Structures are given as structure tokens and as C-alpha cells.
Amino acid sequence: MSLRITPLTDPAHGPHGRRLAWLASDADSVPAGTAFLRLFDGGQEHLAELDLRVHPAERRKGVGSRLLDSAVATARDNARRCVVAQAEAGSPGDHFLAARGFRKILALRYTRLPLAGVDTAALTKIIERPHSGYRLMSWQGTVPDDLAQTFAASRRAMDDMPMDDTDYAIVTWDVDRVRAAAKAVEQRGDHLHTVVAVDTSNGSIAGFTELVIPGSGAGDGQHYGTGVLPEHRGHGLGRWMKAESIRQARRDFPDLGGLLTDTADSNTHMRQINDGLGYTPTHTTHQYQLDL
């Protein structure tokens, strides 16, 4: 197969990373596959994230290998020490990455909560149970100015979440990065909804959960992250916040079908929270890493 690899201009550049792209096409300029390589910064300058896709009819013809070679060479040129990629368990991509020297470092369990089947009484009971010393707050879009600093500080709640052998390092969050992330969701037309637990003794944020709703208000929403600061764990705040997020999503977006989330298999605590709230498994993906 005569194959041409063409670098593309990708507009997905931001203050905390950039993305490169390649198109594989045959002698008649018919597309056969694509590769996207995201280069991170903000504490992750060592890392590149690969998304590689080959049309089913063009597989086993060397398309994926050529695209991979281009992406890996670029990662090396940009002084990255590893490339990570993800594929659904048992899929062609799963087998491809394993055969090309990537090592499996993480299994992610994906689950879905059908909103029509939510036990409203049980949810209300969770939300109304007193949590001494804490109160819930929420907002849509960008964090209010008076909470921006403590919200950025609360992001370290994710620093120690179980990620097995993944070499993600610690992401550096500040107010500008928090606002930029919210702006990115807004610019693509979606809704960002955040629920936080506030320490009533000093007004600081003890934990948060984020949910992104499609701009249409229909289909499925996606949980982006739930975390509680180490010094506030053991009080049931994660389940409390997530239950309130579910309640508000059902109230504010009546056409929403369900909520999606993904959790590392080794993150037993968050899996227990999701299972208890009624999330059911849909599929598993494997995270792979290639050390350069």
C-alpha cells in the first residue's frame, strides 16, 4: 500500500499544552487513519498523550505503525520521556499497542447511571444526612471570584488518587488554570456544573465534584473528577457531593439520559461510591505507556 503521512495544523492549542496531528492517506488521497499527539505542560512536560485511529478496512496494512512512528519521533524531539495511549479492552487498538512495545499500566472501569431509574428517596436521604462542620455549595461555569483561590487549592485532592503505574506526575493548578479549564468547556458549547463541600470553620473548599453536560441538555453527562482533600476524608463528603450533583442534573436538565464516569480499577473507594449510587459498568479500557 502506497501511504502518505501528512502533518496537519491542529487548532487545539492552549495555555497548558498543544496538540499535533497527522493524516495517513493512500495513493488516491483517501484517508486511512489519523494520529493526535497532545504535549502537556504545567508539571507534565515529560508526557505526551496519543490518540491513534485507523479505518477498519485499512488495518493490518502498516497504517497504524507509520502514524505511530511519526508521533513517537515527535515526542522524542520534544524531550518527552513517555507516550500514553488508551484502548478498549479486547479491541484491535488494545492488541496493537501491546504489540508495539507499550506496557499496560492501568485499567479504567467505565460506568453509567440511567437518570430515569434513580431512586429519588434514597438520593434525598444521602443529601439530607447532616455532615457536621460542612455545607454544600454549587455553581455553573467558572468558579465565583470569592471561591477561586480555595477552589484551585482544593485540586490537590486529586494528587494521590490511585493511578497504578501511570507516569502522570502532579498537575499544577492555580486560579488561571481553573478558569481556563472552565472556559474550554464553555467554548465548545457544553455546561460545567460543580458541587463543593465547604469547611464551615473557615470557608475553605474541602472537596469538589465536576460534571459536564452536553450543550443540548440531552444525551449523557460526563463526570470530570471528584476529590476530597486528605485532611477532610472519612466524613462521606465524596458520596454527599456526588449525590447532590446527580440531584441537580436531574432537576436542571430533564432531557438528560444518564451520567458517565470512569474510575481506575484499583480505586476501590470511588468504585464503592459509584456502585452505591446506582452506576453500572459499561466497558473497560486499558491505559498503555511507551517509555522513550
Side-chain angles (χ1 to χ4, degrees), residues 32-34 52-60 63-65 67 96:
T34 57
L52 193 156
R53 300 177 187 272
V54 177
H55 190 281
E58 304 299 337
R59 289 173 184 158
R60 305 188 69 82
V63 177
S65 295
L67 287 168
F96 173 82

Side-chain angles (χ1 to χ4, degrees), residues 39-217:
L39 303 174
F40 296 97
D41 58 16
Q44 293 180 303
E45 292 87 352
H46 67 288
L47 180 66
E49 185 177 70
L50 175 66
D51 181 4
L52 193 156
R53 300 177 187 272
V54 177
H55 190 281
E58 304 299 337
R59 289 173 184 158
R60 305 188 69 82
K61 299 179 181 178
V63 177
S65 295
R66 288 281 304 278
L67 287 168
L68 178 61
D69 288 346
S70 296
V72 168
T74 299
R76 285 197 174 101
D77 289 345
N78 282 270
R80 305 291 152 150
R81 71 168 179 252
C82 63
V83 176
V84 296
Q86 188 171 304
E88 186 169 347
S91 69
D94 195 22
H95 300 303
F96 173 82
L97 292 170
R100 295 306 186 278
F102 284 75
R103 58 187 176 91
K104 187 167 65 176
I105 54 173
L106 180 70
L108 285 172
R109 174 184 169 186
Y110 286 74
T111 59
R112 181 179 186 269
L113 176 69
L115 289 177
V118 168
D119 185 336
T120 304
L123 196 68
T124 301
K125 185 177 180 180
I126 294 171
I127 296 167
E128 293 184 350
R129 175 180 171 270
H131 288 70
S132 179
Y134 300 96
R135 60 187 171 89
L136 293 176
M137 292 184 63
S138 63
W139 63 82
Q140 300 274 0
T142 305
V143 59
D145 289 344
D146 60 328
L147 292 173
Q149 194 64 53
T150 183
F151 182 55
S154 75
R155 305 296 302 203
R156 68 179 174 85
M158 305 291 285
D159 289 353
D160 62 348
M161 66 178 176
M163 291 296 286
D164 296 356
D165 293 330
T166 307
D167 188 11
Y168 270 129
I170 293 176
V171 179
T172 303
W173 287 91
D174 56 20
V175 171
D176 288 342
R177 188 172 191 134
V178 164
R179 288 174 173 157
K183 187 68 174 179
V185 174
E186 177 188 354
Q187 287 176 336
R188 67 173 186 255
D190 293 336
H191 309 282
L192 175 62
H193 180 69
T194 306
V195 174
V196 298
V198 176
D199 181 348
T200 57
S201 69
N202 57 19
S204 66
I205 291 175
F208 65 91
T209 187
E210 293 178 309
L211 179 65
V212 174
I213 307 294
S216 64

Side-chain angles (χ1 to χ4, degrees), residues 247-274:
R247 185 190 70 82
Q248 293 189 19
R250 294 181 75 232
R251 179 196 67 194
D252 298 340
F253 301 95
D255 295 330
L256 201 62
L259 302 179
L260 307 172
T261 188
D262 59 273
T263 311
D265 261 356
S266 57
N267 192 347
T268 55
H269 179 68
M270 187 54 66
R271 285 178 55 190
Q272 289 171 356
I273 289 176
N274 293 335

Side-chain angles (χ1 to χ4, degrees), residues 15-29:
H16 302 290
R18 57 195 177 95
R19 192 171 71 167
L20 306 174
W22 295 265
L23 172 68
S25 55
D26 64 17
D28 297 320
S29 298

